[in-house]
């Protein structure tokens, strides 16, 4: 009976595409929903229609082969899936999703749902981070890959994580001046972690290549950096930073690309009722999933970076694995050998990821050092001091309370850009671990919803109480 | 001066729109964000402090890039494509 | 583990605006008070409501309490050390038809003598005064001193102010058992805490029926979930708090520019939590956009709801228990307890300290429901 509804996949990145492929192979016709106009997800994002001509080797470099394979996989099943591009899932309620497409909202009931919602940059604030010219690392890559644009003429790259050197390298290759790489990681931490990274020599080799290439082109690389501020009146004019010895220095630039790794898009899993747990490696609350991708809610599966950062290769494997779990739950035959193979490869990647997060440690002292007058909430313009104050005075001992009192997390982004910061500030001030202050609850709509949204068949809410005029 | 710099894919069809009343050009396939920031330095000014903003994440997460059209429509600039004849505004609506 | 024991004059179950304000007024009267709150004080209905601080439109029997509360709202900075974004913007109730206008006029007449100062404005004068409302109403009734406030700030502030005056306020402390042992109430929270008190206030909001039932007086209380939405900040176009005669949508624009609108109902996730309901949200958005064309291009950035206790006649239950001396109830505000909450708190304090109150409470007696529901 549950097979009456087609399985639904949210996200057409590597995870979602491989999941769809597997379901199609089993004779199902899944619905694939993605906010983007074309499939590919973040890493394999495709340029828009309209005369873009760069070949995949130019767009995806070393990953061109994988990108092409993922794109082709989707193209091959295109007429056997119900693909809904440019469609935002804005809510999940009682066994159905709410989709927004072209200004119209539609209800999509499901019995089986795979969430492959991916990730975006994790950030911490520093003075000047809202100035025009400061972009996330991911965003800076999107500008290049998706629009053929650089975020500036002379760009400073700041932060940590695999994207830092990758995007700096891509900019250099595109002919943009790289003012420097300002790595928050002390050199020692990276060296220590390489031992673990040897498990995946290919990734290690790529990382070394980027660094080597940048150095060979005279790009200064600084380790153990902390940002002091981005300077400028109406746009970025310089990055002021502190070197590993504590010396304050200034680098002229017209853009700063920065990020501290990635954070998962977990809102739909939350609305779907999935149980969350604190993940030490990601330093974040994530929806629980078992090795196969099953969440705590029967019929809801999790795959890819949307439920824990593990990178593109893992996303492909996890997408397929989640589809197999779904098929098993439907009572369909699945190939045991394939399951075993996927499980083995996912386990190896998991081990590698642990060493990677040791190589790119989250700079906890950055959070600790955020000045009280630094704006931490871009949407509502709230400062770090406001959060510390409600914690110090005993008014807030967890995230949702702090949100209610300070508005951090209440703006348009719903905590995507400020949630990690608030967790750090609260837990520091209260002396709990980062897991001790809970997590922001997701609220619909998970992204802004036009009030003029068209509802084809308005069913009307439950009657309003005539006396209730508040 | 422009914030974003074109470094590739410049052979696309030209799209004409206005930015703060000024006729300007972008290329087909540009997002509203690219179109505005290759012609200017900001997307909007903030509600509470009247400071300039130019987006941040470029992937629909930060919601920092909501801009207005002269008709009052609101667009998320990084997720909307530019079209001929759009009339976009980057000034504050709060202080006027 | 040793069980902590607290002896006090008054124990309060529930730290919403009613329990929190009762604690504050009891401390002002120098009684020893222990307030037990399962969640965080003011995190439930009191902290998530629409924020309407409105007397207009209430049943007449609520108006004395509502007037009393009005005076307290006027002293917020003194009492709480914050104005909690409370503004006396006026509350304008719109009439969209002649019969609705007639009923507003009728209400003004019936409520005369309570001091609401209602003003009926119609036709051209109405359009001139509120051009933002255009022609979507033929007139309205203005209560100039009604207004709105930020519930997230006000409600916790009452409990905080009580604590500052010496009340023992325990959060994350559910009362699991209550009973009376001789002349003392005994409240247990797990194995960790025992509170003994001469008086007990049942201000547990939508969950108050549990306390009432423990003392042998079941009540017909139903949990419902008013649906709320808020837009991104917009240039100011509206200063009054807006309601519509006959119900439906209501809205207020906060000083930062966000428009908060309410209407319809959410659904329960379980006994303690609720979520907005999709059809209600979409209907609310449509109705709000129709009433306020200024919202035409706006986006809703958040929706929410809360858990509120409703009685069959939509009046609260306030006053002494009929089974147990020393126990006082105050709950079942049926979607409108935010404004009168502090007035109720003050009244409860009077009942405890002097055994009486000048407030007429007959209409709110628990006796009006049959003893076994
Ligand atoms: C800019 C960027 C560059 C990256 N580069 C690399 C790299 O070089 N190497 C690497 O290993 N990893 C990289 N990553 C990490 C990358 O996210 C993953 O490796 C990979 O893309 C994960 O695949 P996925 O399928 O889990 O998610 P994604 O590829 O992120 O796909 C998720 C998809 O879900 C859609 N979606 C999410 N929420 C909704 C919703 N509510 N409604 C509708 N659609 C929705 C999104 O539009 C997106 O297309 C990068 C990440 C970013 C952000
Ligand atoms: C969405 C919404 C919109 C509303 N809009 C308005 C409005 O605009 N104007 C207006 O006047 N009114 C409005 N109301 C109604 C108003 O919010 C409530 O009537 C009022 O807040 C009730 O206050 P309270 O203190 O009785 O209840 P609550 O605020 O619910 O407080 C009761 C407290 O008791 C605690 N509790 C329960 N059981 C236990 C236990 N066993 N042990 C310990 N603690 C316990 C709960 O955790 C809770 O904090 C609205 C309500 C909602 C839900
Ligand atoms: S730039 Fe972040 S949402 Fe558009």
């Amino acid at each position: 009976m549950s097979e009456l509804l087609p399985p639904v996949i949210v996200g057409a990145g590597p995870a979602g595409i491989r999941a769809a492929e597997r379901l199609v192979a089993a004779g199902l016709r899944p619905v694939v929903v993605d906010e983007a106009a074309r499939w590919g997800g973040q890493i394999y994002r495709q340029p828009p229609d309209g005369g873009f001509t760069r070949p995949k080797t130019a767009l995806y470099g070393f990953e061109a082969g994988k990108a092409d394979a993922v794109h082709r996989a989707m193209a091959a099943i295109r007429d056997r899936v119900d693909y809904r591009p440019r469609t935002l899932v804005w809510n999940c309620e009682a066994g159905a999703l709410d989709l927004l497409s072209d200004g119209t909202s539609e209800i999509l009931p499901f019995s089986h749902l795979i969430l492959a919602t991916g990730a975006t940059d994790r950030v911490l604030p520093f003075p000047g981070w809202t100035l025009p010219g400061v972009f996330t690392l991911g965003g800076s890559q999107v500008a290049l890959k998706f629009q053929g644009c650089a975020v500036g003429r002379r760009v400073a790259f700041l932060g940590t994580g695999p994207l830092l050197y990758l995007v700096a390298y891509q900019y250099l290759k595109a002919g943009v001046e790289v003012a420097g790489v300002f790595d928050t990681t002390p050199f020692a931490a990276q060296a220590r972690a390489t031992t673990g990274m040897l498990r995946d020599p290919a990734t290690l080799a790529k990382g070394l290549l980027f660094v080597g290439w940048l150095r060979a082109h005279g790009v200064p690389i600084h380790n153990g950096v902390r940002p002091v501020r981005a300077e400028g009146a109406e746009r970025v004019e310089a990055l002021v930073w502190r070197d590993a010895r504590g010396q304050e220095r200034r680098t002229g630039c017209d853009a700063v690309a920065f990020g501290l790794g990635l954070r998962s898009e977990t809102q739909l899993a939350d609305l779907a009722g999935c149980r969350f747990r604190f993940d030490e490696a990601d330093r974040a609350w994530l929806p629980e999933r078992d090795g196969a991708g099953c969440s705590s809610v029967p019929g809801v599966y999790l795959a890819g970076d949307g439920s824990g950062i593990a990178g593109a290769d893992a996303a492909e494997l996890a997408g397929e694995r989640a589809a197999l779990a779904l098929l098993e739950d439907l009572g369909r035959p699945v190939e045991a050998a394939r399951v075993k193979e996927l499980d083995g490869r996912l386990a190896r990647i998991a081990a590698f990821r642990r060493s990677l997060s040791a190589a790119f440690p989250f700079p906890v002292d950055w959070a600790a050092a955020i000045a009280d007058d630094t704006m931490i909430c871009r949407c509502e313009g709230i400062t770090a001091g406001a959060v510390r104050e409600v914690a110090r005075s005993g008014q807030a001992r967890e995230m949702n309370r702090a949100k209610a009192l300070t508005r951090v997390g209440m703006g348009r982004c719903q905590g995507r850009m400020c949630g990690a910061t608030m967790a750090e500030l609260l837990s520091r001030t209260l002396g709990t671990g980062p897991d001790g202050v809970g997590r922001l609850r997701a609220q619909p709509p998970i992204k802004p919803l036009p009030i003029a949204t068209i509802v084809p068949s308005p069913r009307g809410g439950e009657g309003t109480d005539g006396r209730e005029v508040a | 001066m422009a914030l974003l710099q074109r470094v590739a894919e410049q052979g696309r069809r030209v799209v004409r729109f206005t930015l703060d009343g000024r006729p300007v050009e972008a290329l087909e396939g540009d997002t509203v964000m690219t179109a505005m920031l290759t012609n200017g330095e900001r997307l909007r000014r903030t509600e509470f402090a009247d400071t300039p903003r130019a987006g941040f994440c470029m992937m629909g997460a930060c919601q920092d890039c909501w801009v207005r059209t002269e008709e009052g429509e609101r667009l998320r600039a990084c997720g909307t494509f530019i079209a001929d004849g759009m009339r976009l505004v980057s000034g504050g609506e709060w202080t006027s | 583990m040793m069980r902590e024991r607290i002896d006090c004059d008054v124990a309060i179950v529930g730290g919403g605006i009613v329990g929190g304000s009762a604690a504050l007024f009891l401390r002002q009267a120098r009684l020893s008070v222990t307030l037990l709150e399962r969640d965080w004080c003011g995190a439930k209905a009191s902290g998530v409501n629409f924020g309407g601080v409105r007397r207009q439109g209430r049943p007449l029997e609520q108006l004395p309490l509502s007037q009393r509360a009005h005076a307290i709202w006027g002293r917020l900075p003194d009492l709480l050390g914050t104005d909690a974004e409370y503004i006396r913007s006026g509350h304008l109730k719109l009439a969209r038809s002649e019969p609705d206008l007639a009923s507003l006029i009728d209400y003004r007449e019936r409520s005369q003598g309570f001091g609401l100062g209602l003003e009926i404005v119609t036709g051209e004068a109405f359009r001139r005064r509120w051009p933002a409302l255009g022609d979507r109403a033929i007139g309205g009734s203005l209560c100039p001193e009604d207004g709105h406030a930020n519930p997230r700030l006000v409600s916790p502030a009452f409990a905080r102010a009580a604590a500052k005056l010496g009340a023992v306020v325990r959060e994350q402390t559910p009362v699991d058992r209550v009973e009376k042992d001789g002349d003392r109430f005994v409240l247990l929270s797990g194995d960790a805490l025992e509170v003994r008190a001469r008086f007990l206030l049942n201000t547990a909001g939508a969950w108050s029926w549990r306390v009432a039932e423990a003392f042998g007086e079941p009540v017909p209380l139903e949990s419902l979930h008013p649906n709320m939405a808020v837009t991104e900040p917009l240039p100011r176009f509206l200063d009054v708090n807006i309601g519509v005669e006959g119900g439906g949508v209501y809205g207020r624009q906060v000083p930062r520019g966000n428009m908060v609108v309410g209407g319809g109902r959410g659904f329960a996730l379980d006994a303690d939590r609720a979520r907005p309901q999709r059809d209600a949200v979409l209907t609310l958005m449509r109705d709000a956009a129709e009433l306020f064309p200024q919202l035409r291009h706006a986006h809703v950035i958040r929706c929410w709801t809360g858990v509120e206790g409703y009685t069959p006649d939509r009046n609260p239950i306030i006053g002494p228990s009929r089974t147990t001396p020393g126990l006082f109830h105050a709950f079942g505000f049926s979607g409108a307890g935010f404004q009168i909450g502090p007035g109720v708190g003050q009244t409860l304090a009077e009942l405890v300290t002097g055994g009486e109150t000048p407030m007429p409470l007959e209409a709110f007696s628990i006796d009006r429901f049959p003893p076994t529901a």
Side-chain angles (χ1 to χ4, degrees):
Chain A
M1 43 119 226
S2 43
E3 277 198 59
L4 286 180
L5 293 173
V8 176
I9 301 170
V10 182
I17 289 175
R18 292 302 184 192
E21 185 183 37
R22 179 51 76 175
L23 295 178
V24 167
L28 299 176
R29 187 182 171 82
V31 185
V32 179
V33 190
D34 198 301
E35 200 185 354
R38 300 184 70 189
W39 60 72
Q42 294 298 2
I43 173 169
Y44 306 138
R45 179 191 280 256
Q46 302 188 69
D49 296 322
F52 287 80
T53 55
R54 277 174 298 171
K56 288 191 181 170
T57 45
L59 290 172
Y60 310 111
F62 297 113
E63 318 301 334
K66 288 182 195 164
D68 190 48
V70 167
H71 294 158
R72 278 175 194 279
M74 185 65 180
I77 56 170
R78 172 64 192 88
D79 53 7
R80 282 172 288 164
V81 298
D82 177 358
Y83 173 50
R84 318 270 188 99
R86 286 183 302 272
T87 302
L88 169 73
V89 182
W90 63 267
N91 185 25
C92 176
E93 172 188 319
L97 300 175
D98 290 283
L99 313 184
L100 177 74
S101 167
D102 257 340
T104 300
S105 189
E106 182 195 338
I107 299 173
L108 179 66
F110 66 83
S111 57
H112 293 78
L113 172 68
I114 299 179
L115 294 173
T117 45
T120 66
D121 295 78
R122 173 171 60 180
V123 294
L124 287 176
F126 58 91
W129 73 307
T130 59
L131 268 181
V134 181
F135 293 98
T136 64
L137 280 170
S140 306
Q141 194 198 51
V142 169
L144 193 59
K145 198 158 57 175
F146 184 66
Q147 296 281 280
C149 284
V151 293
R153 289 176 196 279
R154 185 177 147 80
V155 185
F157 290 84
L158 166 70
T160 182
L163 284 184
L164 179 66
Y165 290 96
L166 168 66
V167 184
Y169 164 81
Q170 289 170 331
Y171 264 61
L172 193 62
K173 280 218 122 179
V176 183
E177 188 184 350
V178 175
V181 176
F182 303 88
D183 190 334
T184 56
T185 305
F187 193 66
Q190 251 162 10
R192 226 180 303 123
T194 18
T195 356
M197 283 215 267
L198 291 175
R199 285 179 221 261
D200 185 355
T203 305
L204 177 63
K206 260 182 279 172
L208 293 177
L209 183 138
F210 300 148
V211 174
W213 182 278
L214 288 161
R215 282 201 204 284
H217 288 76
V219 172
I221 296 179
H222 306 280
N223 276 90
V225 168
R226 290 294 176 271
V228 175
R229 63 184 171 273
E231 271 182 5
E234 293 285 300
R235 58 181 291 177
V236 173
E237 289 158 24
L239 175 68
V240 180
W241 50 286
R242 198 165 285 122
D243 68 19
R245 281 166 315 177
Q247 196 86 39
E248 195 168 301
R249 297 167 68 174
R250 186 176 189 281
T251 300
C253 58
D254 64 355
V256 176
F258 98 102
L260 300 165
L262 297 170
R263 47 151 288 281
S264 302
E265 279 282 299
T266 59
Q267 295 82 4
L268 290 176
D270 192 356
L271 293 179
C274 297
R275 204 164 49 227
F276 279 56
R277 68 183 167 86
F278 189 79
D279 184 272
E280 296 289 341
D282 283 11
R283 215 177 162 85
W285 289 86
L286 297 174
E288 288 178 21
R289 65 173 176 194
D290 66 12
C294 299
S295 76
S296 64
V297 177
V300 177
Y301 309 83
L302 306 163
D305 277 3
S307 46
I309 306 304
D313 297 354
E316 284 190 55
L317 301 170
E320 183 182 354
R321 184 64 189 88
L324 288 169
L326 188 159
L327 290 168
E328 239 177 327
D329 288 348
L330 287 179
R332 302 284 185 116
V334 301
E335 207 188 309
R338 182 64 183 159
V339 168
K340 193 154 172 257
E341 188 195 342
L342 289 173
D343 286 347
R345 291 172 64 187
L346 281 165
R348 280 195 296 281
I349 292 183
F352 173 64
R353 292 304 304 180
R354 276 192 293 279
S355 52
L356 217 54
S357 61
F360 304 111
F362 183 75
V364 281
D365 61 308
W366 172 337
I370 296 168
D372 275 347
D373 62 357
T374 301
M375 184 192 297
I376 66 166
C377 168
R378 302 173 69 93
C379 300
E380 299 285 315
I382 314 294
T383 61
V387 171
R388 290 202 178 102
E389 165 56 25
V390 295
R392 231 181 258 127
S393 60
Q395 296 181 62
R397 281 185 274 153
E398 59 89 42
M399 293 283 279
N400 296 289
R401 196 74 184 139
K403 167 181 169 182
L405 293 170
T406 63
R407 277 187 230 277
V408 173
M410 277 201 165
R412 290 183 180 97
C413 88
Q414 288 223 11
R416 285 176 175 85
M417 295 298 123
C418 52
T421 308
M422 184 153 77
E424 295 294 330
L425 293 175
L426 272 184
S427 60
R428 285 240 151 208
T429 311
L430 294 166
T432 71
D435 58 337
V437 293
R439 63 190 176 89
L440 289 176
R441 284 185 293 266
Q443 286 178 289
I446 64 166
K447 289 187 185 179
L449 185 66
I451 208 158
T453 292
I454 300 161
V455 187
S457 49
R459 305 195 300 187
E462 218 178 288
T464 42
D465 180 342
R467 300 265 296 269
E468 198 160 16
V469 284
Chain B
M1 207 191 70
L3 204 64
L4 295 189
Q5 309 295 326
R6 294 191 191 277
V7 294
E9 311 275 17
Q10 307 202 38
R12 289 170 284 148
R13 185 180 74 81
V14 169
V15 175
R16 286 170 226 284
F17 69 107
T18 71
L19 179 57
D20 301 322
R22 180 167 59 98
V24 285
E25 293 181 350
L27 300 177
E28 184 173 16
D30 279 357
T31 60
V32 165
M33 182 156 175
T34 301
M36 288 176 79
L37 295 182
T38 49
N39 284 287
E41 296 191 338
R42 63 156 193 263
L43 297 174
R44 64 177 185 122
R45 302 191 74 87
T46 55
E47 299 89 348
F48 309 121
D50 194 37
T51 47
R53 290 283 172 91
F56 184 50
C57 75
M58 302 209 194
M59 55 184 101
C62 74
Q63 314 299 326
D64 210 5
C65 65
W66 285 92
V67 300
R68 280 179 306 136
T69 66
E70 285 175 14
E71 298 75 26
E73 235 185 310
R74 284 158 196 274
L75 308 172
R76 196 171 71 206
C78 72
T80 309
F81 291 108
I82 192 76
D84 281 301
M86 276 185 169
R87 300 207 305 273
L88 301 166
V89 182
S90 75
E93 66 185 313
W94 292 76
T95 42
S96 53
Chain C
M1 187 169 68
M2 269 272 288
R3 177 186 286 176
E4 179 186 2
R5 205 177 124 166
I6 301 176
D7 281 280
C8 59
D9 297 323
V10 191
I12 304 178
V13 186
I17 195 164
V18 177
S21 62
L24 175 61
F25 291 115
L26 284 164
R27 276 310 298 154
Q28 288 187 341
R30 299 184 191 279
L31 272 75
S32 60
V33 176
T34 304
L35 169 61
L36 302 179
E37 167 56 50
R38 190 176 56 173
D39 199 278
W40 307 104
C41 287
K44 292 300 191 180
S46 300
V48 301
N49 62 60
F50 169 70
V53 184
R54 157 193 70 82
R55 296 162 295 166
Q56 164 159 246
R58 287 178 186 271
L60 301 190
E61 56 275 16
Q62 286 189 19
L63 289 180
L65 266 176
S66 194
Q67 283 298 88
R68 165 176 268 198
H70 183 65
I72 300 172
W73 281 97
R75 299 194 283 128
L76 277 195
D78 282 352
L79 278 172
L80 307 181
T82 168
D83 70 358
E85 298 168 19
Y86 171 55
I87 29 184
R88 289 194 165 164
S89 59
H91 176 260
L92 179 63
K93 201 165 187 189
L94 303 176
R96 308 187 75 177
S97 68
E98 288 298 341
D100 285 350
L101 186 59
S103 94
L104 289 179
I105 294 169
D106 176 56
Y107 183 82
R108 184 185 59 170
E109 268 151 31
R110 287 188 294 122
S111 64
Q112 233 145 51
F114 286 102
L116 301 189
L118 298 182
E119 189 187 334
I120 304 281
V121 189
T122 60
E124 194 45 41
F126 178 85
R127 276 186 292 278
R128 261 203 317 277
R129 188 133 162 214
W130 293 288
L133 294 166
D135 48 10
R136 275 158 320 282
I138 58 170
S141 171
L142 178 73
C143 185
E145 288 206 349
D146 276 355
H148 50 113
N150 184 336
R152 303 189 309 271
L153 302 182
V154 180
S155 298
F158 273 103
R160 207 163 61 244
K164 230 181 195 156
L165 284 189
V168 175
V169 175
R170 293 288 170 87
E171 299 184 310
Q172 303 290 298
T173 306
V175 175
D176 309 311
R177 283 192 57 186
V178 271
E179 56 192 30
K180 198 156 185 199
D181 175 15
D183 64 346
R184 294 281 148 164
F185 290 93
V186 183
L187 291 75
L188 296 178
S189 181
D191 291 329
L193 177 66
E194 174 181 322
V195 177
R196 298 184 147 255
R198 286 191 293 135
F199 296 97
L200 175 64
L201 302 187
N202 176 16
T203 56
W207 304 272
S208 296
W209 59 271
R210 292 183 184 153
V211 177
E213 219 164 71
F215 292 99
E217 39 188 351
V219 282
L221 192 67
E222 182 191 9
S223 285
L224 294 173
H225 317 287
N227 209 60
M228 305 283 129
V230 64
T231 70
E232 61 198 316
L234 304 166
R236 287 302 298 268
F237 68 92
L238 190 68
D239 51 5
V240 290
N241 176 6
I242 295 285
V244 177
E245 175 61 18
V249 65
Y250 40 94
R252 66 186 182 101
Q253 190 176 27
V254 306
R256 292 167 69 89
N258 309 75
M259 186 77 189
V260 186
V261 293
R265 298 234 188 278
F267 67 100
L269 279 179
D270 53 38
D272 299 335
R273 297 173 306 152
R275 282 251 179 88
Q277 200 275 331
R278 61 161 63 87
D279 295 314
V281 167
L282 291 167
T283 304
L284 169 60
M285 289 184 357
R286 187 198 60 202
D287 292 351
E290 194 240 340
L291 186 62
F292 307 111
Q294 294 80 358
L295 303 185
R296 189 169 55 245
H297 296 303
H299 292 74
V300 165
I301 60 172
R302 212 154 21 85
C303 296
W304 72 97
T305 179
V307 183
E308 169 76 342
Y310 286 71
T311 63
D313 63 8
R314 300 298 190 248
N315 255 331
I317 290 167
I318 306 172
S321 153
R322 67 185 142 188
T323 61
T324 314
L327 166 63
F328 297 92
H329 301 294
F331 60 89
F333 291 95
S334 306
F338 183 54
Q339 188 274 338
I340 57 173
V344 175
Q346 188 173 37
T347 303
L348 289 171
E350 282 171 353
L351 288 170
V352 166
T353 49
E356 54 182 27
T357 172
M359 289 292 118
L361 297 179
E362 300 75 42
F364 313 130
S365 160
I366 195 165
D367 292 342
R368 69 190 195 275
F369 303 113
T372 45

